[in-house]
Structure formats: structure tokens, C-alpha cells
Amino acid sequence: MDLPVLFNDPPASPSGGCAANSCGSSDDQLGHLPEAIRDKVFNHPCYSEDAHHYFARMHVAVAPACNIQCHYCNRKYDCANESRPGVVSEVLSPEQAVKKVKAVAAAIPQMSVLGIAGPGDPLANPQRTFDTFRMLSEQTPDIKLCVSTNGLSLPESVEELSKHNIDHVTITINCVDPEVGAKIYPWIFWQNRRIRGIEAARILIEQQQRGLEMLVERGILVKVNSVLIPGVNDEHLKEVSRIVKEKGAFLHNVMPLIAEAEHGTFYGLTGQREPSHAELQALQDACAGDMNMMRHCRQCRADAVGLLGEDRGAEFTLDKIDAMEIDYAAAMETRARVHADIAEELAQRRQHGPAPVPILQASGPTALMAVATKGGGLVNEHFGHAREFLIYEASPAGVRFIGHRRVETPYCEGDSSCGEGESALAKIIDALEGCRAVLCAKVGYEPWSALENAGIQPNGEHALEPIEEAVLALYQELLEAGKLTDDVAQQRQSA
Amino acid sequence: MALEIIDSCVNCWACVPVCPNDAIYQAQPHFLIDADKCTECVGDHDEAQCASICPIEGAILDELGDALNPPGSLTGILLSAGELPSSIPQDIR
């Protein structure tokens, strides 16, 4: 029997429409989409799970002002060390932003997308946002433009957005019920007044839904972001997913709440808990029946630069850019070449799909596997260098991408001479909770035994192989070796 | 007659585009209001626009030096701790 590689839909989901592998496509969650939409997003790292291994993106922080307050946001956003939405190091003028985009696109030819995502709300800074888009449309016509908004000012901005040929918009929609909204948004600034409570949430929801409808009417692709807040909107997000899909959003991205007390947000300070990995996955699976779900979001900063999961922003501060000598015309040619090569590789992958893997046993448990990767769709990162792990679910029905888990300090960056290496390792093992194995390019002796003791099988034998094939192969190896039974994991954990 | 931004300002820019008089300007260590231009929005709006969009309690003062957004009035964090001063008007609770 051949194992298919599944993406997005849970193997047993009866309501998931056609499974990706039976639709003539086995590339990623976009397999559900009409050809025209796939053509638009194939090189957008935030929309295509496939593209995010190859194409890079950047955000420019030209939009500081915001017109609403969310309980998960602290508006004191200036921070160099945190990686989460709403945080930046420096606010740029539109002119500075254009200069930065051109410098980054010259240095990183994989760059395909420029987004404006804050740190406030781009549409609450219409002058700065649209000045930036106008200049970029002229000066870097090969870079796709996109924008992310809370939706409050969206209806009045749709006309201007469509002028700039922006074919992607992300709206953050956390609720469709004002009573739920009142627990997430304490106030909005609307028609020259501060409005609070349920009335504020009602207006915001109305504007978001109207904006969504208007964008869809104009053929602009809409992705919906939702923040999963346990006890506040967790069950409700299933309805959100259903409604936004009905209205024509093409992708739904459910992200976990980030709420640490030290971030100074309302939720952080009042002890609102974050969802567990399992809760996030369960909700994404529940929504997947109705919607193309997105699972590779990295919740990046409003000034992030590079491949998803990496941030090279520090290489492109304003003073460093001033010192660079750049041949913009040559850079655009290089970009065209690099993009064409990647497009070809992706097309080939789509056509051929991953190599079929024979399997001996037709039944077996579902197992989560972690993968250390630097990009390119390969198992190619050392365990000790990984800043995040991609999580795949393997079963006899195939393999599907589930999400990613970030680690605070890579194992090799912890200082083992003062015990930090050990605590870094303990935190990584915590982050890999629920995983049966971790695939990487290499694993050192010490983390190897600690991982084994925690019931997580380390594996370096599939180094440099394509991720899905490697996960499938390891799944079968573990299955055949009898290492995937619950007893084995429990014995190890109690050992 | 003018409002004032004080040092609890976090430089979030929200007030800049909503001022009808272009009275707010970037300065170090925080944004400031040009007292010659500020009208407290009288004649333009019912509420002072900067204070209506400012997310930080206590950062904008009226001409008497009183906070237009007193502690607890925006975040509700003090509210939940039961520390809301009784001086806060009912309509902003």
C-alpha cells in the first residue's frame, strides 16, 4: 500500500470536502482552491504552506497608530527582543520604508511579498500606508503587496486598496457576536468618539463583515486571522470560521493567544491563560471541515524580515541600509531568476508529489513528529540550532502538517557551564510535548539521551531528505520496531 | 486653552492623525501638543480627539492638570481590583 501525503484535512474528516490528495494536487492546504487563486498565492509565504519554505517576506512598520484596543495588545510596542505581532524596533516614514524594501529585496532575492501589518492598524494610518504602497507599486513592481487590518476602517478603504492592486488582505476577526467581542475589545475609536463595551464590539464586527464582503466582491483575496482565547472565543471560533468561509474568505488562520504578564497586556496582567498545543490543534481540526486552515503562521513582528520563522531585521536597520551600495536594476533581475527557479521546483514537486513509501502494516496509531528545518522543505537543521520545530502528524492514512513550536533558546546557545544548557534542553523537551520523534540533521549525545528518556525518539538518519517523506519513513520504522505503542512511551516516561 | 501630553505617553502615534489642528508633533522623549494650536477640539468635535483615542491612562491632561483618561478608565485593570477612585465619572466606567 502507498501512503499518501495529506495536508491540512484530518485523515478522518468526513466533512472536509475533497481530500487534497484526491484533487489532483498534493502540495498543501491550497489544494482546495481554484487554479486562479492558487496562481495568486503560490509564492506567498504567509498563504502557502509550500511557498513558506522558499519565499521570503517582510513587514515595514509604517503604521503605528491604532483605532481600537485589544486585550492581547500592549501599545508600548518598541522592543528589540520580543517576537510577536505588534512589536517593532523603529517606526519608518514611507520613504524610509521604500528604501528598506529595496535594500532587503536586493539582499534576499527570495523576497516575494511586502506587508504592512502595523505595529498599529495600517488603515488607521491611511496616508502613511497608501503613500508606501504607491511608491512600491512604481519602484518594485515585482513585489506583491498585502495588508493586515482589524477591519474597523476597512469599508472606507476598499476603494483605495483596489487602486493599488493589492490582491491580498488579512482581517483579524476574533468574533461575530458582540457579547464575545466585549470581552476582547474594551473600546474602539469610531466617528470621533471612544465607544466601549458591546456597542463597540457590534460596530467593529459590522465593519469587519462589511469589509470582507466588499473585498470579495472586488476579487481581492481575504485571509482571516483569529486569536484563540481559551474560555472567551474558543468554541465561538467554529462559527466564525463557518461564516467567513460562507462570505468568501479563502483561508482561516487560528493563532494561539500570547499572554505573558511581562508583555503588560490586559490578558497577560489578569492571568488569562494561553491555549495548549493540543487545544489549538483540536480547534484547527474542528474548523478544517468548513475552511481551508492555515497552520504555518509564525505570528511574526510588524517589522519582520526574511523567511517565515527567521527574522533578519537587525541586518537592515536604517543606518546599515544607508551604508549599502545597491544596484537596484540588477537586483530585480536576480530576483526574477531566483523566483522562476523556485516556481519551477514547486511545480515539479506538485506534479510528481513525494515518492510513494510502501507500508507493511495497514493499522497503527497516530503519532506527532517534530522536524528541525532551515527551509527548502528538507530535514536540514541541527537539533541544537533549531529555534523552532515543525510538527507533523503521521498515521497509516498519511502525513499532514499540524503547526510549529517555537523554542526560546536553542540548545547550543544555552550556556551549559552554568546550567543554562540543561534548562534550555528541558524547555525544548517541554515544547515537544506529545511528539513521538524528532527529525533533524544531527543530534548530540546529551540531548539524545534526554529526548529518549522523555519518550521522544531522536533521529538524524533522514538528514537532507524532503520532510514529508522523512516523516513517513520514520513513522514506518518506528511502527515496525514496535516503538509507537502507548506502553512504550509510558515506560520511557516513567523510567 | 490647551491639552498636554505627559511622560507616560508611549509614543504610539494614535493621536497624531486625529487632531483637527495638527497640533501634535513628535518630540523626545514623547509626543507634545503645541499649545498655540490646540483648541481642545472645541468647535470641531464633542470630545477632545487625542484623549478619545489615547490608549494610555493619565497621559493627556486638561488645562487644570487633570487626566482626561483617569486610572482604570481604559484598561479596567484597576476596576477589577476594586481600586477605581470614586472621582471617575460614571459615563466612562
Side-chain angles (χ1 to χ4, degrees):
Chain A
M1 132 183 201
D2 286 348
L3 272 189
V5 173
L6 299 179
F7 295 85
N8 196 39
D9 272 338
S13 164
S15 52
C18 57
N21 59 325
S22 63
C23 264
S25 160
S26 60
D27 54 345
D28 62 358
Q29 76 272 44
L30 302 174
H32 293 281
L33 298 173
E35 193 72 26
I37 295 185
R38 272 195 283 155
D39 282 350
K40 273 189 175 177
V41 298
F42 88 95
N43 65 351
H44 196 311
C46 303
Y47 293 163
S48 163
E49 150 63 13
D50 226 3
H52 97 273
H53 294 299
Y54 301 90
F55 288 104
R57 55 72 178 103
M58 73 180 287
H59 288 160
V60 284
V62 295
C66 194
N67 47 12
I68 70 173
Q69 179 69 50
C70 306
H71 275 328
Y72 46 74
C73 179
N74 174 4
R75 300 277 291 285
K76 192 174 178 181
Y77 47 72
D78 182 2
C79 182
N81 300 321
E82 291 175 32
S83 182
R84 62 191 164 90
V87 170
V88 298
S89 292
E90 53 189 353
V91 171
L92 306 181
S93 70
E95 291 74 20
Q96 289 169 327
V98 170
K99 200 169 172 184
K100 181 171 177 177
V101 171
K102 288 162 75 178
V104 170
I108 307 176
Q110 295 89 345
M111 188 172 134
S112 61
V113 169
L114 177 278
I116 299 183
D121 185 75
L123 304 182
N125 306 258
Q127 180 87 40
R128 300 168 61 89
T129 295
F130 290 122
D131 280 353
T132 308
F133 282 146
R134 198 172 305 122
M135 285 188 274
L136 288 174
S137 307
E138 289 164 16
Q139 299 179 37
T140 55
D142 61 322
I143 303 284
K144 287 185 181 230
L145 305 177
C146 59
V147 65
S148 174
T149 177
N150 62 41
L152 183 62
S153 301
L154 184 53
E156 70 203 53
S157 308
V158 167
E159 194 56 42
E160 181 80 22
L161 283 169
S162 51
K163 267 189 220 158
H164 293 289
N165 198 23
I166 294 159
D167 50 17
H168 310 89
V169 173
T170 297
I171 316 174
T172 299
I173 299 181
N174 295 317
C175 55
V176 289
D177 174 350
E179 299 215 0
V180 176
K183 297 179 196 157
I184 303 170
Y185 308 103
W187 56 263
I188 66 171
F189 181 79
W190 174 247
Q191 294 180 343
N192 305 105
R193 289 169 54 218
R194 194 189 314 261
I195 305 203
R196 297 158 193 271
I198 291 182
E199 173 68 357
R202 187 189 59 76
I203 295 167
L204 177 63
I205 291 166
E206 249 175 50
Q207 292 290 100
Q208 291 171 336
Q209 296 296 322
R210 200 148 63 87
L212 167 58
E213 291 160 15
M214 292 170 73
L215 289 168
V216 170
E217 272 169 31
R218 282 166 178 74
I220 298 174
L221 292 181
V222 182
K223 167 172 136 261
V224 169
N225 276 353
S226 300
V227 180
L228 168 55
I229 310 159
V232 174
N233 71 348
D234 36 5
E235 279 303 305
H236 183 59
L237 283 182
K238 295 174 191 169
E239 192 185 349
V240 170
S241 206
R242 187 180 55 77
I243 288 176
V244 300
K245 192 211 176 174
E246 262 171 28
K247 294 197 175 177
F250 83 107
L251 197 59
H252 191 195
N253 174 26
V254 177
M255 308 177 289
L257 171 72
I258 300 174
E260 308 274 340
E262 61 263 35
H263 295 158
T265 60
F266 176 85
Y267 282 148
L269 293 171
T270 55
Q272 166 67 49
R273 74 174 178 89
E274 300 173 351
S276 68
H277 299 303
E279 283 172 316
L280 178 66
Q281 191 190 324
L283 189 79
Q284 288 176 333
D285 285 350
C287 295
D290 291 321
M291 188 84 203
N292 295 301
M293 294 298 293
M294 166 170 163
R295 298 171 196 257
H296 64 278
C297 176
R298 300 301 196 281
Q299 296 179 284
C300 56
R301 291 164 56 105
D303 59 1
V305 171
L307 288 168
L308 245 54
E310 73 173 8
D311 188 358
R312 297 175 57 183
E315 296 170 41
F316 300 97
T317 55
L318 289 177
D319 44 335
K320 286 181 186 163
I321 291 170
D322 275 337
M324 292 176 186
E325 278 186 34
I326 301 163
D327 181 342
Y328 296 109
M332 209 186 298
E333 280 172 30
T334 308
R335 262 196 320 271
R337 212 165 41 242
V338 169
H339 288 198
D341 288 349
I342 299 174
E344 175 142 346
E345 190 177 335
L346 285 174
Q348 274 181 7
R349 272 180 54 127
R350 240 193 307 274
Q351 212 171 1
H352 301 302
V357 187
I359 188 163
L360 299 175
Q361 283 172 266
S363 69
T366 294
L368 295 184
M369 310 253 191
V371 175
T373 176
K374 288 193 270 207
L378 303 175
V379 179
N380 58 1
E381 178 67 292
H382 289 205
F383 176 83
H385 297 166
R387 296 187 164 274
E388 63 166 16
F389 293 88
L390 303 191
I391 308 297
Y392 288 78
E393 184 190 84
S395 74
V399 168
R400 65 181 180 125
F401 177 68
I402 291 293
H404 67 101
R405 308 227 183 128
R406 206 181 276 176
V407 298
E408 225 169 284
T409 313
Y411 174 65
C412 290
E413 282 178 28
D415 181 357
S416 52
S417 64
C418 57
E420 276 178 32
E422 265 172 48
S423 82
L425 184 56
K427 282 183 186 166
I428 295 168
I429 288 175
D430 277 350
L432 297 181
E433 190 201 341
C435 295
R436 287 299 185 81
V438 56
L439 293 98
C440 19
K442 265 187 184 166
V443 203
Y445 175 75
E446 270 179 51
W448 183 288
S449 28
L451 285 162
E452 263 192 340
N453 287 338
I456 303 168
Q457 177 66 52
N459 186 291
E461 284 167 29
H462 295 279
L464 300 180
E465 289 177 17
I467 292 173
E468 290 87 6
E469 291 171 30
V471 169
L472 269 180
L474 180 59
Y475 176 74
Q476 286 180 52
E477 289 160 28
L478 295 178
L479 198 58
E480 284 160 21
K483 287 187 176 175
L484 285 181
T485 59
D486 287 332
D487 300 351
V488 175
Q490 276 162 10
Q491 273 169 17
R492 280 201 181 128
Q493 252 156 1
S494 60
Chain B
M1 190 168 89
L3 303 180
E4 185 191 356
I5 296 176
I6 63 167
D7 56 11
S8 48
C9 167
V10 298
N11 293 303
C12 82
W13 293 68
C15 54
V16 178
V18 298
C19 175
N21 302 305
D22 284 331
I24 303 171
Y25 60 96
Q26 194 174 14
Q28 291 302 328
H30 58 78
F31 283 82
L32 293 173
I33 295 175
D34 182 339
D36 292 336
K37 289 185 178 173
C38 176
T39 61
E40 299 188 13
C41 294
V42 172
D44 286 304
H45 301 288
D46 292 342
E47 298 176 4
Q49 296 296 286
C50 55
S52 296
I53 201 168
C54 179
I56 304 299
E57 294 161 352
I60 300 183
L61 307 182
D62 65 15
E63 55 191 352
L64 302 173
D66 290 332
L68 287 171
N69 297 302
S73 64
L74 299 183
T75 59
I77 289 178
L78 287 181
L79 260 172
S80 57
E83 292 172 32
L84 185 67
S86 57
S87 59
I88 294 177
Q90 197 63 39
D91 62 338
I92 59 163
R93 289 191 179 203

